[in-house]
């Protein structure tokens, strides 16, 4: 036994020695420095849908509309363009321009009836406040239409000299504003300008309540005088030259910085019905499609039903049924059954947000599988 | 940071694993290595013993059935210490001689005594054959559990160390687990040969015991016939 123990111990010593020498530190796993490859699962409809771009530009990997120059971005803009406001169509713009172009003749027409309309607007304020002061302004424009533009100019200078319109102050000190006005006047302009000055302060101190009624009246006088002035100076060519003749660029306010490439005018979202939704529609119709089995040459008939649906899934009007193949009797029978099925299956439960895609539905009936 | 950690713990040779292990795990591993040595010592011993026993049995049967006189065979064998069939033969012949030399009358009593003597010798021989097979069985069944114990203790301590280092980096976790698993490996290394050897040697011992029993039965029959013949001749002589 001792011998065998020695033999065993020796064998173990050999084995352990071999293990220690050969099973040295196992080779460390070499982990290559590989960047994790991101794999995204993207729904296919995001690829198949139309991307916003330029319809005339060449095809590129990423579609982009024609670049815009304006830097300022507009929030939530969908349509590409240089505008500040997001507009959907280019068509309305030129229409507005036309109206603007037509506008100048209108003021030209107005000055002709000026004497007549002037009394018309004036009576309106009169009944509201007082009838007495109203006739006073009336005579003023009549006697000297030419002189009126002159009083306007000094009035403006006064306003420039005294920015805080001293209406209450004028009541307290009547002479004070007059004196500096006189001092300024000789420097500002010619002699006749002095006359209207005393006229204007006079009404102010007399009746404060009447000022309001007078002021609009004066303004109207001014307008009428201005329009009358235009009447005389109206030159269609000059005005036409002043008008902005730039073509309306139209479009929206969305900015684009990339080079133009092929694409649609708008990015569409997944508008097509998914397979499961089409299956649901098919199943809904099939439930009501009953055909008599054993009809002769029923397999050859193909029925196509075209129907228009409203938002709630009901059929608008009458579904359009066309049947082909087979004998006339079978054809009419199957066409009738298809129509009945379509009518009975409503309302159709379809996603409301994709109404654009199922507003018109074409259903193909193939009875060959039913026989 | 991590590179430094890896470099520090990448030394995972067997020796370093053993030296890194805790006291309990080391003890378990040493014990299991000892068990393995013991197992293989028993294996070597048994292989040698069984071969020798088989050779002796073959030789004895050859001599026994060669027509040699039983008296002569007994005289040649009784001088030296014999084992196996020789021992059974000697025990039976001794009992035979003792009984006849004293002039025993009862043949049934003589037969019983010879059988008893042979049974005792047979049992002793079987014991010698099956000696230490029990320890093989024990090692075979217990060594994996002992190894597992070492592993559990090792993993426990290594997890405590991880909790202390506050790092779940695999480079920190791995050496402790590898070191703990070494205990299970050694346990299996000791247990597998022990189980195989136990099955093999217990079958061999059974075969040799059956051969000895067969010889004992045969020899008992021969002696029984001899007793009858002697009694008949003695009665005829009287």
């Amino acid at each position: 036994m001792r011998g065998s123990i020695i033999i065993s111990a020796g064998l173990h010593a050999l084995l352990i020695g071999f293990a220690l020498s050969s099973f040295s530190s196992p080779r460390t796993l070499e982990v290559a420095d590989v960047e994790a490859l991101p794999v995204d699962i993207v729904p296919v409809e995001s690829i198949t849908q139309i991307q916003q771009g330029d319809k005339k530009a060449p095809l590129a990997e990423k579609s982009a509309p024609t670049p815009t120059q304006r830097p300022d971005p507009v929030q939530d803009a969908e349509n590409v363009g240089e505008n500040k406001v997001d507009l959907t169509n280019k068509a309305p713009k030129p229409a507005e321009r036309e109206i603007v172009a037509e506008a100048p003749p209108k003021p030209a027409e107005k000055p002709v009836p000026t004497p007549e309309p002037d009394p018309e607007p004036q009576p309106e304020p009169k009944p509201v406040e007082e009838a007495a002061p109203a006739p006073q302004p009336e005579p003023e424009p009549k006697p000297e239409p030419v002189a009126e533009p002159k009083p306007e100019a000094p009035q403006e200078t006064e306003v420039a000299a005294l920015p805080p319109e001293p209406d209450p102050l004028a009541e307290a000190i009547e002479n004070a504003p007059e004196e500096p006005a006189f001092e300024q006047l000789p420097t500002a302009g010619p002699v006749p300008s002095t006359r209207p000055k005393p006229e204007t302060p006079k009404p102010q101190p007399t009746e404060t309540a009447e000022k309001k009624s007078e002021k609009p009246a004066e303004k109207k006088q001014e307008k009428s005088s201005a329009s009358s002035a235009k009447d005389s100076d109206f030159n269609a060519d000059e005005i036409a030259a002043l008008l902005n003749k730039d073509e309306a660029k139209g479009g929206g306010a969305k900015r684009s910085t990339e080079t133009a490439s092929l694409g649609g005018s708008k990015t569409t979202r997944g508008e097509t019905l998914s397979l499961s939704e089409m299956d649901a529609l098919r199943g809904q119709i099939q439930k009501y499609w009953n055909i008599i089995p054993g009809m002769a040459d029923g397999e050859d008939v193909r029925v196509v039903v075209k129907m228009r649906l409203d938002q709630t899934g009901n059929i608008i009007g009458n579904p359009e049924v066309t049947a082909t193949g087979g004998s006339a009797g079978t054809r009419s029978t199957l066409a009738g059954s298809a129509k009945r099925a379509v009518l009975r299956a409503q309302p159709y439960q379809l996603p409301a947000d994709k109404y654009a895609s199922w507003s018109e539905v074409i259903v193909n009936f193939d009875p060959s599988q039913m026989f | 940071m991590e590179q430094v950690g890896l470099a520090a713990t990448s030394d995972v040779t067997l020796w370093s694993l053993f030296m890194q292990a805790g006291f309990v795990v080391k003890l378990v591993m040493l014990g299991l290595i000892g068990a393995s040595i013991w197992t293989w010592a028993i294996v070597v011993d048994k292989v040698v013993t069984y071969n020798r026993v088989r050779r002796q049995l073959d030789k004895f049967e050859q001599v026994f059935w060669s027509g040699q006189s039983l008296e002569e065979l007994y005289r040649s064998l009784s001088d030296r210490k014999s084992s196996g069939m020789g021992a059974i033969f000697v025990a039976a012949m001794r009992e035979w001689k003792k009984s006849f030399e004293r002039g025993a009358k009862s043949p049934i009593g003589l037969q019983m005594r010879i059988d008893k003597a042979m049974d005792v010798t047979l049992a002793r021989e079987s014991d010698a054959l099956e000696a230490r097979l029990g320890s093989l069985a024990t090692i075979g069944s217990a060594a994996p559990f002992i190894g597992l114990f070492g592993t559990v203790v090792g993993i426990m301590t290594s997890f405590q160390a991880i909790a202390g280092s506050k790092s779940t980096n695999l480079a920190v976790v791995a050496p402790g687990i590898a070191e703990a698993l070494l205990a299970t490996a050694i346990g299996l290394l000791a247990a597998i040969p022990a189980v195989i050897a136990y099955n093999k040697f217990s079958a061999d011992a059974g075969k040799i015991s059956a051969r000895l029993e067969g010889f004992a039965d045969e020899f008992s029959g021969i002696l029984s016939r001899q007793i009858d013949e002697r009694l008949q001749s003695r009665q005829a002589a009287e």
Side-chain angles (χ1 to χ4, degrees):
Chain A
M1 193 65 207
R2 184 180 288 170
S4 52
I5 287 173
I6 291 164
I7 289 167
S8 173
L11 283 173
H12 275 82
L14 273 176
L15 188 75
I16 289 168
F18 175 73
L20 286 177
S21 62
S22 68
F23 291 106
S24 61
S25 177
R27 209 172 44 174
T28 51
L29 290 174
E30 284 179 12
V31 183
D33 286 334
V34 180
E35 286 283 316
L37 186 69
V39 177
D40 292 336
I41 296 169
V42 183
V44 74
E45 57 186 29
S46 69
I47 297 162
T48 53
Q49 73 196 21
I50 298 164
Q51 300 291 316
Q52 193 172 36
D54 193 340
K55 283 178 182 175
K56 288 170 187 172
L59 182 69
E61 193 177 355
K62 192 186 173 193
S63 53
T66 18
T68 54
Q69 265 84 47
R70 281 177 75 111
D72 54 328
V74 178
Q75 279 190 338
D76 301 331
E78 285 183 349
N79 303 291
V80 176
E82 306 275 5
N83 290 342
K84 277 183 181 174
V85 185
D86 197 24
L87 297 167
T88 49
N89 255 330
K90 292 186 179 181
K93 268 266 161 179
E96 284 173 29
R97 287 284 175 173
E98 281 167 22
I99 293 162
V100 173
E102 283 171 5
K106 281 173 186 171
E109 285 168 11
K110 278 175 186 172
V112 181
T114 34
E116 289 170 25
D118 273 341
E120 281 172 18
Q122 282 165 356
E124 285 173 356
K126 284 168 195 168
V128 178
E129 295 177 353
E130 277 181 27
Q136 288 179 350
E138 273 192 74
E140 284 179 299
K142 281 174 184 175
E144 289 180 358
V146 187
E148 276 185 10
K150 287 171 184 174
E152 279 177 4
Q155 274 180 350
E156 283 174 27
T157 52
E158 274 187 359
V159 172
L162 305 164
E165 295 173 3
D167 286 271
L169 289 170
E171 290 179 14
I173 310 160
E174 292 176 17
N175 299 325
E178 286 176 8
E179 286 170 11
F182 278 112
E183 287 172 22
Q184 283 180 349
L185 281 167
T187 57
V191 185
S193 61
T194 52
R195 285 177 189 171
K197 285 249 166 172
E199 285 176 5
T200 45
K202 276 174 184 173
Q204 282 176 351
T206 48
E207 290 172 0
T208 50
E210 281 178 4
K211 281 180 191 171
K212 290 171 185 174
S213 61
E214 283 177 3
K215 277 182 179 175
E218 283 177 358
K219 281 175 184 172
K220 276 165 190 171
Q221 288 165 12
E222 287 170 19
K223 277 180 184 174
S224 64
S225 63
S227 61
S228 62
K230 278 176 186 172
D231 276 346
S232 59
D233 297 338
F234 180 73
N235 189 341
D237 294 338
E238 281 181 13
I239 291 166
L242 289 170
L243 288 174
N244 184 7
K245 282 184 179 174
D246 280 352
E247 281 243 341
K249 283 174 183 171
K254 189 180 180 184
R255 306 286 175 250
S256 167
T257 51
E258 289 161 79
T259 49
S261 57
L262 186 65
S265 59
K266 243 183 188 183
T267 304
T268 60
R269 302 207 176 79
E271 286 286 292
T272 52
L273 291 179
S274 69
L275 278 178
S276 59
E277 284 158 357
M278 295 216 319
D279 272 335
L281 178 66
R282 198 175 298 143
Q284 211 174 340
I285 294 169
Q286 199 156 31
K287 210 162 54 178
Y288 294 102
W289 191 34
N290 300 316
I291 56 171
I292 307 148
M295 254 186 298
D297 61 0
E299 295 93 334
D300 303 334
V301 180
R302 297 285 179 278
V303 187
V304 177
V305 179
K306 204 168 171 183
M307 54 187 182
R308 288 179 61 235
L309 302 174
D310 64 4
Q311 297 271 9
T312 57
N314 288 308
I315 295 170
I316 305 170
N318 232 10
E320 195 180 307
V321 185
T322 48
T324 52
S327 63
T330 321
R331 202 188 305 150
S332 64
T333 312
L334 286 170
S337 77
K339 191 176 176 181
R340 276 195 303 279
V342 165
L343 288 171
R344 284 172 68 194
Q346 61 181 330
Y348 294 97
Q349 267 105 43
L350 290 161
D353 53 333
K354 293 182 182 178
Y355 174 68
S357 63
W358 54 264
S359 59
E360 263 198 44
V361 179
I362 295 170
V363 190
N364 291 303
F365 289 83
D366 184 1
S368 63
Q369 300 295 318
M370 305 287 278
F371 289 106
Chain B
M1 286 280 286
E2 285 180 19
Q3 287 295 326
V4 173
L6 273 170
T9 55
S10 64
D11 187 24
V12 284
T13 56
L14 282 181
W15 182 248
S16 69
L17 280 181
F18 176 78
M19 290 312 287
Q20 281 168 17
F23 172 71
V24 177
V25 181
K26 263 182 196 164
L27 209 69
V28 164
M29 283 199 244
L30 286 175
L32 285 170
I33 288 169
S36 181
I37 290 170
W38 182 236
T39 302
W40 282 98
I42 291 166
V43 167
V44 170
D45 181 54
K46 287 295 164 191
V47 166
V48 172
T49 310
Y50 286 1
N51 280 338
R52 197 184 63 228
V53 166
R54 266 192 225 104
R55 229 179 301 119
Q56 279 177 350
L57 291 186
D58 291 345
K59 204 171 162 186
F60 182 82
E61 280 183 331
Q62 207 180 349
V63 173
F64 185 79
W65 298 111
S66 65
Q68 196 182 2
S69 149
L70 292 178
E71 292 290 338
E72 277 177 33
L73 193 60
Y74 172 69
R75 237 177 279 129
S76 67
L77 284 173
S78 62
D79 298 342
R80 54 198 167 116
K81 191 175 177 290
S82 60
S83 66
M85 282 182 190
I88 291 166
F89 174 76
V90 167
M93 283 302 288
R94 192 178 292 131
E95 190 55 44
W96 165 270
K97 280 202 169 289
K98 275 178 189 167
S99 299
F100 263 91
E101 279 166 5
R102 285 170 195 170
K105 292 278 164 41
S106 166
I108 299 162
L110 179 61
Q111 184 71 47
M112 274 180 66
R113 276 196 297 280
I114 288 167
D115 284 353
K116 282 272 182 226
M118 283 203 293
D119 278 348
V120 168
T121 316
L122 187 68
R124 202 176 293 137
E125 290 298 314
S126 292
D127 275 356
L129 283 173
E130 286 171 8
R132 302 198 190 91
L133 283 184
S135 59
L136 273 189
T138 306
I139 290 168
S141 58
F145 292 120
I146 296 165
L148 204 62
F149 168 72
T151 297
V152 169
V153 170
I155 286 180
M156 235 165 67
T157 52
S158 73
F159 271 121
Q160 283 169 346
I162 291 161
S165 72
K166 284 178 182 140
S167 165
T168 52
N169 190 354
L170 198 61
V172 174
V173 178
I177 292 170
E179 148 214 317
L181 288 175
L182 189 64
T184 304
I186 295 171
L188 291 173
L189 207 69
I192 292 166
V195 170
I196 292 169
Y198 173 74
N199 287 331
K200 168 95 172 84
F201 293 138
S202 60
D204 283 358
K207 273 182 205 161
I208 292 165
S209 296
R211 233 168 127 181
L212 287 176
E213 277 174 38
F215 170 75
D217 287 349
E218 257 177 333
F219 190 54
S220 172
I222 290 164
L223 283 180
S224 170
R225 209 184 312 123
Q226 288 282 328
I227 290 162
D228 281 356
E229 281 172 10
R230 296 274 173 102
L231 283 174
Q232 276 172 3
S233 64
R234 199 177 286 175
Q235 279 167 2
E238 285 172 0

